[in-house]
Amino acid sequence: MLSEKDRAEIEEVIAIYGHVVDDNAWDRAHLVFSDDFVFDFSEFGRPNLNGVAELKDALRGRRVYSHHSTNVVIEEQPDGTARVRSKFIGFPNEGPPISGDYRDLFVRTPDGWRLARRRSSVRDPRFD
């Protein structure tokens, strides 16, 4: 069973993610991502990003300058991983804010909980 410490650590990793990405603080990426991290872009018809180097390259010149995550729900899995769902708000340099959902897989590593897989979907009320 996940302890309160486990849950707090997972939520902190989600928070650190926003700081790493928004501040271009890739020297802190080891605090967030597992070695085999995958950012799943299948919902957007784009190839996955495999590893921190590909994520960093993809975000170079990005248009969103501030990410905020909230409404974190953590579910322990039988294999010891954690499935995490959260909502995000992003503030692009141009245009209105965007919001959506993250669906994550967290794994326990010798250094603590790390993000192994992230899938995002953008909510667009114009199409609801």
Side-chain angles (χ1 to χ4, degrees):
M1 182 170 186
L2 291 175
S3 68
E4 288 302 313
K5 182 178 183 254
D6 291 324
R7 292 177 179 281
E9 186 176 336
I10 289 169
E11 288 194 38
E12 184 171 351
V13 170
I14 290 170
I16 294 170
Y17 169 88
H19 292 282
V20 167
V21 171
D22 294 341
D23 298 342
N24 246 348
W26 297 105
D27 60 321
R28 298 182 66 212
H30 66 282
L31 300 173
V32 177
F33 304 103
S34 68
D35 292 338
D36 57 351
F37 170 72
V38 175
F39 204 125
D40 178 347
F41 277 104
S42 60
E43 188 163 320
F44 304 104
R46 294 174 38 203
N48 291 344
L49 300 175
N50 298 294
V52 173
E54 285 187 16
L55 178 63
K56 181 180 173 182
D57 287 344
L59 294 178
R60 186 172 294 132
R62 71 189 185 280
R63 295 178 14 162
V64 177
Y65 67 85
S66 186
H67 293 79
H68 302 271
S69 296
T70 186
N71 298 39
V72 178
V73 177
I74 302 168
E75 296 177 0
E76 183 177 20
Q77 301 300 297
D79 64 359
T81 62
R83 295 277 177 188
V84 181
R85 184 170 179 186
S86 61
K87 299 205 176 280
F88 72 84
I89 302 168
F91 294 89
N93 291 331
E94 299 172 358
I98 59 171
S99 67
D101 297 280
Y102 287 136
R103 288 173 185 82
D104 298 331
L105 174 67
F106 274 78
V107 295
R108 191 186 316 253
T109 73
D111 296 319
W113 287 95
R114 295 296 183 263
L115 182 56
R117 189 172 188 90
R118 171 160 274 185
R119 181 174 170 219
S120 69
S121 58
V122 176
R123 292 179 175 254
D124 190 337
R126 295 174 296 170
F127 299 107
D128 286 346

